[in-house]
Protein backbone atom coordinates (compact mmCIF):
# COMPACT_ATOMS: atom_id res chain seq x y z
CA UNK A 1 0.00 0.00 0.00
CA UNK A 2 2.79 2.37 0.98
CA UNK A 3 4.65 1.92 -2.31
CA UNK A 4 1.54 1.85 -4.41
CA UNK A 5 0.39 5.23 -3.12
CA UNK A 6 3.83 6.70 -3.73
CA UNK A 7 3.95 5.38 -7.29
CA UNK A 8 0.61 6.93 -8.24
CA UNK A 9 0.71 10.27 -9.96
CA UNK A 10 -1.32 12.23 -7.48
CA UNK A 11 -2.52 15.82 -7.74
CA UNK A 12 -1.04 16.33 -4.28
CA UNK A 13 2.40 15.42 -5.54
CA UNK A 14 4.81 18.29 -4.83
CA UNK A 15 2.06 20.51 -3.39
CA UNK A 16 2.97 22.60 -0.34
CA UNK A 17 0.39 22.01 2.34
CA UNK A 18 0.38 23.92 5.63
CA UNK A 19 -1.40 21.93 8.32
CA UNK A 20 -2.27 24.17 11.28
CA UNK A 21 -3.12 22.18 14.40
CA UNK A 22 -4.85 23.87 17.36
CA UNK A 23 -5.33 22.86 20.96
CA UNK A 24 -8.19 20.41 20.87
CA UNK A 25 -8.34 16.80 21.99
CA UNK A 26 -8.92 15.91 18.30
CA UNK A 27 -5.37 17.07 17.51
CA UNK A 28 -4.08 13.50 17.67
CA UNK A 29 -6.33 12.46 14.78
CA UNK A 30 -4.69 14.76 12.26
CA UNK A 31 -1.36 12.96 12.53
CA UNK A 32 -3.00 10.45 10.19
CA UNK A 33 -4.03 13.24 7.84
CA UNK A 34 -0.43 14.53 7.80
CA UNK A 35 0.76 11.02 7.02
CA UNK A 36 -1.75 10.42 4.20
CA UNK A 37 -0.97 13.75 2.54
CA UNK A 38 2.76 13.01 2.78
CA UNK A 39 2.29 9.54 1.26
CA UNK A 40 0.37 11.17 -1.59
CA UNK A 41 3.47 13.24 -2.33
CA UNK A 42 2.64 16.57 -0.63
CA UNK A 43 5.22 18.57 1.32
CA UNK A 44 3.42 18.98 4.60
CA UNK A 45 4.55 21.68 7.02
CA UNK A 46 2.81 21.25 10.34
CA UNK A 47 2.33 24.29 12.56
CA UNK A 48 1.31 23.57 16.14
CA UNK A 49 -0.19 26.36 18.20
CA UNK A 50 1.01 26.70 21.78
CA UNK A 51 -2.16 25.03 23.02
CA UNK A 52 -1.80 22.18 20.50
CA UNK A 53 1.58 21.32 22.00
CA UNK A 54 -0.21 20.48 25.25
CA UNK A 55 -2.20 17.79 23.42
CA UNK A 56 0.31 16.40 20.92
CA UNK A 57 4.08 16.46 20.57
CA UNK A 58 6.17 17.52 17.62
CA UNK A 59 7.89 14.13 17.29
CA UNK A 60 4.82 12.36 15.84
CA UNK A 61 4.22 14.97 13.15
CA UNK A 62 7.91 15.18 12.35
CA UNK A 63 8.07 11.41 11.91
CA UNK A 64 5.05 11.19 9.61
CA UNK A 65 5.88 14.22 7.44
CA UNK A 66 9.67 13.88 7.43
CA UNK A 67 9.87 17.65 7.94
CA UNK A 68 10.53 19.86 10.93
CA UNK A 69 7.40 20.82 12.85
CA UNK A 70 6.97 24.54 13.38
CA UNK A 71 5.85 26.10 16.61
CA UNK A 72 7.68 29.40 16.94
CA UNK A 73 7.30 32.47 14.75
CA UNK A 74 10.88 33.52 15.35
CA UNK A 75 12.68 30.25 14.66
CA UNK A 76 12.21 30.04 10.88
CA UNK A 77 15.23 30.38 8.58
CA UNK A 78 15.53 33.89 7.17
CA UNK A 79 16.82 33.03 3.67
CA UNK A 80 16.11 36.37 2.02
CA UNK A 81 12.39 36.34 2.73
CA UNK A 82 11.14 37.44 6.11
CA UNK A 83 11.01 34.09 7.89
CA UNK A 84 7.62 34.26 9.56
CA UNK A 85 5.78 35.08 6.33
CA UNK A 86 7.58 32.78 3.90
CA UNK A 87 5.49 29.70 4.75
CA UNK A 88 2.20 31.39 3.91
CA UNK A 89 3.58 32.94 0.73
CA UNK A 90 4.78 29.59 -0.65
CA UNK A 91 1.73 27.51 0.35
CA UNK A 92 -0.58 25.86 -2.19
CA UNK A 93 -3.21 25.26 0.47
CA UNK A 94 -3.66 25.85 4.19
CA UNK A 95 -5.72 23.49 6.32
CA UNK A 96 -6.54 24.22 9.94
CA UNK A 97 -7.62 21.06 11.71
CA UNK A 98 -8.77 20.95 14.40
CA UNK A 99 -9.66 24.64 14.50
CA UNK A 100 -10.59 25.82 18.00
CA UNK A 101 -13.04 28.59 18.92
CA UNK A 102 -10.06 30.64 20.08
CA UNK A 103 -8.09 30.38 16.82
CA UNK A 104 -11.25 31.00 14.77
CA UNK A 105 -11.90 34.13 16.85
CA UNK A 106 -8.32 35.35 16.45
CA UNK A 107 -8.48 34.78 12.68
CA UNK A 108 -11.83 36.57 12.40
CA UNK A 109 -10.36 39.53 14.27
CA UNK A 110 -7.22 39.59 12.09
CA UNK A 111 -4.91 38.94 15.02
CA UNK A 112 -1.52 37.53 14.02
CA UNK A 113 0.30 36.87 17.23
CA UNK A 114 1.64 33.40 16.45
CA UNK A 115 2.99 31.48 13.48
CA UNK A 116 -0.34 29.95 12.43
CA UNK A 117 -2.38 33.16 12.46
CA UNK A 118 0.45 35.05 10.73
CA UNK A 119 0.68 32.37 8.04
CA UNK A 120 -3.08 32.49 7.45
CA UNK A 121 -3.06 36.28 7.26
CA UNK A 122 -0.26 36.37 4.72
CA UNK A 123 -1.30 33.51 2.45
CA UNK A 124 -3.17 33.84 -0.82
CA UNK A 125 -3.72 30.09 -1.03
CA UNK A 126 -7.16 28.56 -0.38
CA UNK A 127 -7.87 27.91 3.30
CA UNK A 128 -9.79 24.93 4.67
CA UNK A 129 -10.88 25.08 8.28
CA UNK A 130 -12.26 22.13 10.27
CA UNK A 131 -13.68 23.35 13.60
CA UNK A 132 -13.72 20.87 16.49
CA UNK A 133 -14.72 21.87 19.99
CA UNK A 134 -17.24 21.44 22.75
CA UNK A 135 -20.77 21.62 21.20
CA UNK A 136 -21.78 24.57 23.40
CA UNK A 137 -18.69 26.51 22.30
CA UNK A 138 -19.47 25.67 18.68
CA UNK A 139 -23.10 26.77 18.93
CA UNK A 140 -22.20 29.95 20.85
CA UNK A 141 -23.37 33.02 18.92
CA UNK A 142 -19.92 34.56 18.88
CA UNK A 143 -18.35 31.41 17.37
CA UNK A 144 -21.06 31.20 14.74
CA UNK A 145 -20.55 34.86 13.87
CA UNK A 146 -16.80 34.36 13.62
CA UNK A 147 -17.29 31.35 11.35
CA UNK A 148 -19.67 33.36 9.15
CA UNK A 149 -17.04 36.12 8.96
CA UNK A 150 -14.38 33.67 7.81
CA UNK A 151 -16.77 32.17 5.25
CA UNK A 152 -17.52 35.62 3.88
CA UNK A 153 -13.80 36.15 3.48
CA UNK A 154 -13.46 33.00 1.39
CA UNK A 155 -12.48 30.35 3.94
CA UNK A 156 -13.98 26.92 3.32
CA UNK A 157 -15.41 25.74 6.65
CA UNK A 158 -16.28 22.10 7.26
CA UNK A 159 -19.25 21.27 9.48
CA UNK A 160 -18.22 19.32 12.56
CA UNK A 161 -19.67 15.84 12.98
CA UNK A 162 -22.38 15.10 15.49
CA UNK A 163 -21.52 12.44 18.05
CA UNK A 164 -19.98 11.59 21.37
CA UNK A 165 -17.40 14.08 22.59
CA UNK A 166 -14.33 13.39 24.73
CA UNK A 167 -16.24 14.73 27.72
CA UNK A 168 -19.39 12.70 28.46
CA UNK A 169 -21.80 14.51 26.16
CA UNK A 170 -23.22 14.12 22.67
CA UNK A 171 -23.45 17.01 20.25
CA UNK A 172 -22.10 18.79 17.20
CA UNK A 173 -18.41 19.47 17.54
CA UNK A 174 -16.44 16.40 16.54
CA UNK A 175 -13.68 16.65 13.97
CA UNK A 176 -14.86 15.11 10.66
CA UNK A 177 -13.18 11.86 9.58
CA UNK A 178 -9.65 12.24 8.24
CA UNK A 179 -10.78 10.89 4.84
CA UNK A 180 -13.48 13.58 4.69
CA UNK A 181 -10.97 16.35 5.42
CA UNK A 182 -8.57 14.94 2.80
CA UNK A 183 -11.36 14.78 0.19
CA UNK A 184 -12.42 18.37 0.90
CA UNK A 185 -8.79 19.50 0.69
CA UNK A 186 -8.35 17.79 -2.67
CA UNK A 187 -11.59 19.31 -3.98
CA UNK A 188 -10.53 22.79 -2.87
CA UNK A 189 -7.12 22.48 -4.50
CA UNK A 190 -8.74 21.28 -7.73
CA UNK A 191 -11.30 24.10 -7.72
CA UNK A 192 -8.43 26.53 -7.32
CA UNK A 193 -6.38 25.48 -10.32
CA UNK A 194 -7.51 22.08 -11.67
CA UNK A 195 -8.26 21.64 -15.40
CA UNK A 196 -11.93 20.72 -14.70
CA UNK A 197 -12.68 23.67 -12.39
CA UNK A 198 -16.05 25.20 -13.11
CA UNK A 199 -17.21 22.04 -14.93
CA UNK A 200 -19.96 19.71 -13.81
CA UNK A 201 -19.24 16.01 -14.26
CA UNK A 202 -21.73 13.23 -13.65
CA UNK A 203 -20.42 9.73 -13.06
CA UNK A 204 -22.43 6.55 -12.55
CA UNK A 205 -21.06 3.58 -10.64
CA UNK A 206 -21.89 0.07 -9.50
CA UNK A 207 -24.58 -2.23 -10.79
CA UNK A 208 -28.33 -1.85 -10.54
CA UNK A 209 -30.56 -4.19 -8.55
CA UNK A 210 -33.82 -5.15 -10.21
CA UNK A 211 -36.30 -6.41 -7.61
CA UNK A 212 -38.07 -9.75 -7.94
CA UNK A 213 -39.85 -9.62 -4.59
CA UNK A 214 -39.16 -7.72 -1.31
CA UNK A 215 -36.01 -9.78 -0.58
CA UNK A 216 -34.62 -10.84 -3.98
CA UNK A 217 -33.21 -9.05 -6.97
CA UNK A 218 -31.53 -9.58 -10.33
CA UNK A 219 -28.07 -7.99 -10.27
CA UNK A 220 -24.50 -8.23 -11.51
CA UNK A 221 -20.97 -8.40 -10.13
CA UNK A 222 -19.96 -4.74 -10.50
CA UNK A 223 -18.22 -3.54 -7.32
CA UNK A 224 -18.37 0.20 -8.06
CA UNK A 225 -14.63 0.52 -7.46
CA UNK A 226 -13.86 2.06 -10.84
CA UNK A 227 -16.78 4.53 -10.74
CA UNK A 228 -15.89 5.71 -7.24
CA UNK A 229 -12.25 6.20 -8.25
CA UNK A 230 -13.34 8.14 -11.37
CA UNK A 231 -15.49 10.42 -9.19
CA UNK A 232 -12.66 11.08 -6.72
CA UNK A 233 -10.14 11.80 -9.49
CA UNK A 234 -12.49 14.20 -11.30
CA UNK A 235 -13.12 15.99 -7.98
CA UNK A 236 -9.36 16.31 -7.46
CA UNK A 237 -9.08 18.00 -10.86
CA UNK A 238 -11.65 20.62 -9.89
CA UNK A 239 -14.92 19.26 -11.29
CA UNK A 240 -18.18 19.59 -9.40
CA UNK A 241 -19.00 15.90 -9.26
CA UNK A 242 -22.33 14.11 -8.96
CA UNK A 243 -21.84 10.41 -8.26
CA UNK A 244 -24.92 8.33 -9.04
CA UNK A 245 -24.40 4.91 -7.56
CA UNK A 246 -26.14 1.57 -7.43
CA UNK A 247 -25.81 -0.41 -4.18
CA UNK A 248 -22.13 -1.07 -3.30
CA UNK A 249 -20.13 -1.93 -0.19
CA UNK A 250 -17.78 1.05 -0.69
CA UNK A 251 -17.36 4.26 1.28
CA UNK A 252 -18.14 7.07 -1.16
CA UNK A 253 -15.55 9.79 -1.72
CA UNK A 254 -16.18 13.02 0.19
CA UNK A 255 -16.84 16.39 -1.46
CA UNK A 256 -18.99 14.88 -4.22
CA UNK A 257 -22.80 15.03 -4.48
CA UNK A 258 -23.96 11.48 -3.88
CA UNK A 259 -27.18 10.06 -5.33
CA UNK A 260 -27.98 6.51 -4.31
CA UNK A 261 -30.26 4.50 -6.59
CA UNK A 262 -31.23 0.88 -6.80
CA UNK A 263 -32.86 0.15 -10.13
CA UNK A 264 -32.12 1.08 -13.74
CA UNK A 265 -35.29 3.19 -13.85
CA UNK A 266 -34.15 5.14 -10.77
CA UNK A 267 -30.71 5.57 -12.30
CA UNK A 268 -32.24 6.84 -15.51
CA UNK A 269 -34.22 9.53 -13.63
CA UNK A 270 -31.15 10.52 -11.60
CA UNK A 271 -28.91 10.71 -14.71
CA UNK A 272 -31.43 12.78 -16.66
CA UNK A 273 -31.88 15.20 -13.75
CA UNK A 274 -28.14 15.56 -13.07
CA UNK A 275 -27.24 15.95 -16.75
CA UNK A 276 -29.54 18.91 -17.34
CA UNK A 277 -26.75 21.35 -16.50
CA UNK A 278 -23.78 18.98 -16.77
CA UNK A 279 -20.77 19.26 -19.08
CA UNK A 280 -19.51 15.66 -18.92
CA UNK A 281 -21.21 12.30 -18.34
CA UNK A 282 -19.08 9.26 -17.50
CA UNK A 283 -21.43 6.29 -17.65
CA UNK A 284 -19.52 3.60 -15.78
CA UNK A 285 -22.47 1.82 -14.15
CA UNK A 286 -23.32 -1.74 -15.10
CA UNK A 287 -26.99 -1.07 -15.80
CA UNK A 288 -29.12 -4.21 -15.87
CA UNK A 289 -30.43 -4.67 -19.40
CA UNK A 290 -33.63 -6.31 -18.10
CA UNK A 291 -35.89 -6.16 -15.07
CA UNK A 292 -38.57 -8.57 -13.86
CA UNK A 293 -41.85 -7.74 -15.61
CA UNK A 294 -43.70 -7.74 -12.27
CA UNK A 295 -42.38 -7.23 -8.77
CA UNK A 296 -44.14 -9.66 -6.46
CA UNK A 297 -45.40 -7.87 -3.34
CA UNK A 298 -44.85 -10.70 -0.85
CA UNK A 299 -41.82 -12.96 -0.52
CA UNK A 300 -42.19 -15.75 -3.06
CA UNK A 301 -42.45 -19.28 -1.69
CA UNK A 302 -40.34 -21.99 -3.27
CA UNK A 303 -42.10 -24.45 -5.49
CA UNK A 304 -41.15 -27.84 -6.93
CA UNK A 305 -42.42 -26.57 -10.26
CA UNK A 306 -39.37 -24.23 -10.44
CA UNK A 307 -39.55 -20.58 -11.36
CA UNK A 308 -39.82 -18.88 -14.71
CA UNK A 309 -38.96 -15.21 -14.46
CA UNK A 310 -40.22 -12.96 -17.21
CA UNK A 311 -37.88 -10.04 -17.88
CA UNK A 312 -38.59 -6.87 -19.82
CA UNK A 313 -35.91 -4.56 -21.29
CA UNK A 314 -34.72 -1.54 -19.34
CA UNK A 315 -34.23 1.78 -21.15
CA UNK A 316 -30.77 2.47 -22.54
CA UNK A 317 -29.84 5.47 -20.40
CA UNK A 318 -26.85 6.57 -22.50
CA UNK A 319 -28.65 5.82 -25.74
CA UNK A 320 -31.49 8.13 -24.75
CA UNK A 321 -28.97 10.98 -24.44
CA UNK A 322 -27.52 10.40 -27.93
CA UNK A 323 -28.99 13.70 -29.18
CA UNK A 324 -27.35 15.76 -26.40
CA UNK A 325 -24.48 17.01 -28.59
CA UNK A 326 -23.51 19.59 -25.97
CA UNK A 327 -22.81 16.86 -23.41
CA UNK A 328 -19.40 15.16 -23.53
CA UNK A 329 -20.30 11.49 -23.10
CA UNK A 330 -18.04 8.62 -22.15
CA UNK A 331 -19.30 5.05 -22.06
CA UNK A 332 -17.82 1.79 -20.80
CA UNK A 333 -18.00 -1.53 -22.60
CA UNK A 334 -17.20 -4.75 -20.80
CA UNK A 335 -17.03 -7.44 -23.48
CA UNK A 336 -16.16 -11.11 -23.50
CA UNK A 337 -15.50 -11.32 -27.26
CA UNK A 338 -14.73 -9.06 -30.27
CA UNK A 339 -13.83 -6.25 -27.87
CA UNK A 340 -12.99 -3.47 -30.33
CA UNK A 341 -15.81 -4.22 -32.81
CA UNK A 342 -18.50 -4.46 -30.12
CA UNK A 343 -17.31 -1.41 -28.21
CA UNK A 344 -17.02 0.70 -31.38
CA UNK A 345 -20.58 -0.23 -32.37
CA UNK A 346 -21.79 0.99 -28.95
CA UNK A 347 -19.83 4.22 -29.26
CA UNK A 348 -21.55 4.98 -32.58
CA UNK A 349 -25.01 3.82 -31.52
CA UNK A 350 -24.98 5.88 -28.32
CA UNK A 351 -23.38 9.03 -29.83
CA UNK A 352 -20.32 8.96 -27.53
CA UNK A 353 -17.04 10.85 -27.77
CA UNK A 354 -15.11 8.01 -26.19
CA UNK A 355 -15.71 4.50 -24.93
CA UNK A 356 -13.56 2.61 -22.45
CA UNK A 357 -13.43 -1.03 -23.51
CA UNK A 358 -12.27 -3.90 -21.38
CA UNK A 359 -12.34 -7.66 -21.25
CA UNK A 360 -15.07 -8.49 -18.71
CA UNK A 361 -13.59 -11.89 -17.90
CA UNK A 362 -10.43 -10.33 -16.46
CA UNK A 363 -11.80 -7.20 -14.77
CA UNK A 364 -15.15 -7.54 -13.00
CA UNK A 365 -14.64 -7.93 -9.27
CA UNK A 366 -10.83 -7.67 -9.70
CA UNK A 367 -8.55 -4.98 -8.25
CA UNK A 368 -6.72 -4.50 -11.56
CA UNK A 369 -7.97 -3.73 -15.05
CA UNK A 370 -6.65 -3.45 -18.60
CA UNK A 371 -8.64 -1.02 -20.72
CA UNK A 372 -8.48 0.30 -24.27
CA UNK A 373 -9.69 3.83 -24.98
CA UNK A 374 -11.61 4.07 -28.25
CA UNK A 375 -12.28 7.47 -29.81
CA UNK A 376 -15.05 8.43 -32.20
CA UNK A 377 -12.47 8.79 -35.02
CA UNK A 378 -11.51 5.11 -34.67
CA UNK A 379 -8.29 5.62 -32.70
CA UNK A 380 -7.60 2.92 -30.12
CA UNK A 381 -5.26 3.47 -27.16
CA UNK A 382 -4.55 0.40 -25.03
CA UNK A 383 -3.45 1.14 -21.45
CA UNK A 384 -1.39 -1.27 -19.38
CA UNK A 385 -3.00 -3.56 -16.79
CA UNK A 386 -3.00 -1.58 -13.53
CA UNK A 387 -4.91 -1.08 -10.28
CA UNK A 388 -8.38 0.37 -10.91
CA UNK A 389 -7.53 3.58 -8.99
CA UNK A 390 -4.62 4.20 -11.32
CA UNK A 391 -6.62 3.28 -14.44
CA UNK A 392 -9.31 5.74 -13.29
CA UNK A 393 -6.71 8.51 -13.10
CA UNK A 394 -5.52 7.68 -16.63
CA UNK A 395 -9.09 7.62 -17.96
CA UNK A 396 -9.92 10.99 -16.37
CA UNK A 397 -6.67 12.44 -17.79
CA UNK A 398 -7.74 11.24 -21.26
CA UNK A 399 -11.21 12.76 -20.71
CA UNK A 400 -9.67 16.11 -19.74
CA UNK A 401 -7.52 16.16 -22.89
CA UNK A 402 -10.45 15.32 -25.16
CA UNK A 403 -12.91 17.56 -23.33
CA UNK A 404 -10.71 20.62 -23.79
CA UNK A 405 -10.59 19.92 -27.58
CA UNK A 406 -14.35 19.13 -27.67
CA UNK A 407 -15.10 22.39 -25.92
CA UNK A 408 -12.85 24.39 -28.26
CA UNK A 409 -14.60 22.98 -31.34
CA UNK A 410 -18.00 24.21 -30.21
N1 LIG B 1 -25.82 1.56 -20.53
C1 LIG B 1 -26.88 2.40 -20.26
N2 LIG B 1 -28.13 1.89 -20.09
C2 LIG B 1 -28.36 0.57 -20.22
C3 LIG B 1 -27.28 -0.31 -20.51
C4 LIG B 1 -26.02 0.22 -20.65
O1 LIG B 1 -26.68 3.60 -20.17
N3 LIG B 1 -29.58 0.09 -20.07
C5 LIG B 1 -24.48 2.13 -20.70
C6 LIG B 1 -23.44 1.54 -19.78
O2 LIG B 1 -23.34 2.26 -18.56
C7 LIG B 1 -22.16 1.65 -20.59
C8 LIG B 1 -22.64 1.52 -22.02
O3 LIG B 1 -24.04 1.83 -22.01
O4 LIG B 1 -21.54 2.91 -20.46
C9 LIG B 1 -22.44 0.15 -22.60
O5 LIG B 1 -23.04 -0.79 -21.74
P1 LIG B 1 -23.03 -2.33 -22.06
O6 LIG B 1 -23.78 -3.06 -21.00
O7 LIG B 1 -21.62 -2.76 -22.36
O8 LIG B 1 -23.81 -2.36 -23.45
P2 LIG B 1 -25.29 -2.58 -23.85
O9 LIG B 1 -25.75 -1.37 -24.58
O10 LIG B 1 -26.11 -2.97 -22.66
O11 LIG B 1 -25.16 -3.78 -24.87
P3 LIG B 1 -24.91 -5.36 -24.58
O12 LIG B 1 -25.42 -5.64 -23.19
O13 LIG B 1 -25.71 -6.02 -25.63
O14 LIG B 1 -23.45 -5.63 -24.72
Amino acid sequence: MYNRRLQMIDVLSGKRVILGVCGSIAAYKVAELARNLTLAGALVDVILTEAAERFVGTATFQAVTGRPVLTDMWSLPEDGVVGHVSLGVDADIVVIAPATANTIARLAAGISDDLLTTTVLVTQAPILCAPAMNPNMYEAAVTQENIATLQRRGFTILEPDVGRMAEPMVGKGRLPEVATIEGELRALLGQHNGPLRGRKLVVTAGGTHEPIDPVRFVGNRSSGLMGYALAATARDLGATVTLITGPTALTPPSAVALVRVETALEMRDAVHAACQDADILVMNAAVADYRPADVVEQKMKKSDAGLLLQLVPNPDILGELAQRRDLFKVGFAAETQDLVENATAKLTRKGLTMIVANDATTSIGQAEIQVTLLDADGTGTPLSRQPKQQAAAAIIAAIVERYLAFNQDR
Side-chain angles (χ1 to χ4, degrees):
M1 185 62 193
Y2 190 93
N3 283 334
R4 191 158 276 174
R5 271 199 89 150
L6 277 184
Q7 278 163 15
M8 277 172 66
I9 306 157
D10 196 298
V11 289
L12 284 175
S13 178
K15 290 286 185 308
R16 302 193 74 106
V17 178
I18 308 286
L19 173 58
V21 183
C22 307
S24 149
I25 186 70
Y28 76 94
K29 294 186 184 169
V30 293
E32 194 188 343
L33 177 65
R35 177 177 186 271
N36 291 351
L37 299 176
T38 304
L39 289 180
L43 305 168
V44 183
D45 284 314
V46 175
I47 302 177
L48 298 184
T49 63
E50 205 182 327
E53 281 188 90
R54 293 175 182 266
F55 289 90
V56 285
T58 52
T60 309
F61 285 101
Q62 205 148 314
V64 295
T65 62
R67 298 168 72 79
V69 170
L70 308 157
T71 52
D72 180 7
M73 183 139 71
W74 307 109
S75 64
L76 289 178
E78 301 266 346
D79 45 2
V81 195
V82 183
H84 64 281
V85 300
S86 61
L87 271 176
V89 170
D90 294 341
D92 290 300
I93 190 160
V94 177
V95 50
I96 310 167
T100 52
N102 179 45
T103 295
I104 289 169
R106 287 188 300 134
L107 290 173
I111 293 170
S112 56
D113 58 354
D114 65 3
L115 186 58
L116 178 57
T117 47
T118 307
T119 303
V120 170
L121 202 55
V122 88
T123 195
Q124 293 190 323
I127 302 167
L128 179 67
C129 185
M133 62 195 75
N134 168 283
N136 293 349
M137 287 173 89
Y138 178 71
E139 301 294 353
V142 65
T143 306
Q144 289 301 312
E145 279 167 29
N146 287 333
I147 287 174
T149 300
L150 295 184
Q151 265 167 333
R152 231 180 12 256
R153 293 190 194 138
F155 284 50
T156 301
I157 313 275
L158 293 185
E159 283 230 348
D161 281 352
V162 176
R164 206 188 142 77
M165 308 301 297
E167 62 270 46
M169 76 183 287
V170 172
K172 187 174 186 179
R174 285 171 59 89
L175 189 73
E177 296 297 322
V178 162
T180 305
I181 303 174
E182 181 178 340
E184 296 284 348
L185 179 149
R186 287 170 171 275
L188 192 55
L189 255 182
Q191 286 155 17
H192 199 63
N193 56 15
L196 290 177
R197 67 184 178 278
R199 301 290 163 199
K200 179 172 174 187
L201 182 142
V202 177
V203 52
T204 64
T208 59
H209 286 186
E210 308 298 327
I212 299 171
D213 69 10
V215 297
R216 303 181 179 91
F217 60 84
V218 177
N220 58 64
R221 291 177 192 274
S222 172
S223 66
L225 204 62
M226 170 61 84
Y228 279 45
L230 290 164
T233 311
R235 171 204 65 194
D236 289 2
L237 297 183
T240 302
V241 176
T242 301
L243 170 60
I244 300 171
T245 176
T248 72
L250 304 173
T251 306
S254 59
V256 307
L258 187 73
V259 184
R260 291 186 192 275
V261 298
E262 213 169 303
T263 65
L265 292 179
E266 287 170 9
M267 184 167 279
R268 174 212 219 176
D269 288 348
V271 169
H272 282 251
C275 281
Q276 267 174 14
D277 59 348
D279 302 289
I280 303 170
L281 168 63
V282 184
M283 194 74 196
N284 175 248
V287 185
D289 287 329
Y290 304 96
R291 66 179 184 278
D294 299 300
V295 182
V296 181
E297 264 182 41
Q298 304 300 331
K299 185 182 170 198
M300 289 163 71
K301 291 292 169 199
K302 68 170 175 268
S303 148
D304 290 340
L307 173 67
L308 255 183
L309 210 53
Q310 198 198 341
L311 301 174
V312 293
N314 270 327
D316 184 332
I317 304 172
L318 252 187
E320 286 178 345
L321 291 166
Q323 297 314 316
R324 278 283 306 271
R325 301 274 170 224
D326 59 315
L327 186 62
F328 182 97
K329 284 163 283 173
V330 178
F332 279 71
E335 306 290 343
T336 54
Q337 57 186 357
D338 303 328
L339 182 72
V340 173
E341 293 75 8
N342 283 334
T344 306
K346 284 176 194 171
L347 177 143
T348 312
R349 192 167 74 239
K350 302 185 191 221
L352 310 178
T353 313
M354 185 174 102
I355 196 157
V356 182
N358 73 277
D359 182 342
T361 54
T362 61
S363 64
I364 288 200
Q366 304 282 318
E368 295 202 329
I369 191 167
Q370 193 281 311
V371 300
T372 299
L373 310 179
L374 298 170
D375 286 291
D377 66 3
T379 317
T381 315
L383 305 185
S384 60
R385 187 171 174 82
Q386 53 194 322
K388 282 186 178 168
Q389 311 268 1
Q390 239 165 281
I395 293 165
I396 293 289
I399 290 174
V400 169
E401 204 178 89
R402 287 156 178 78
Y403 177 73
L404 296 179
F406 169 87
N407 214 22
Q408 234 166 31
D409 291 349
R410 289 192 300 145

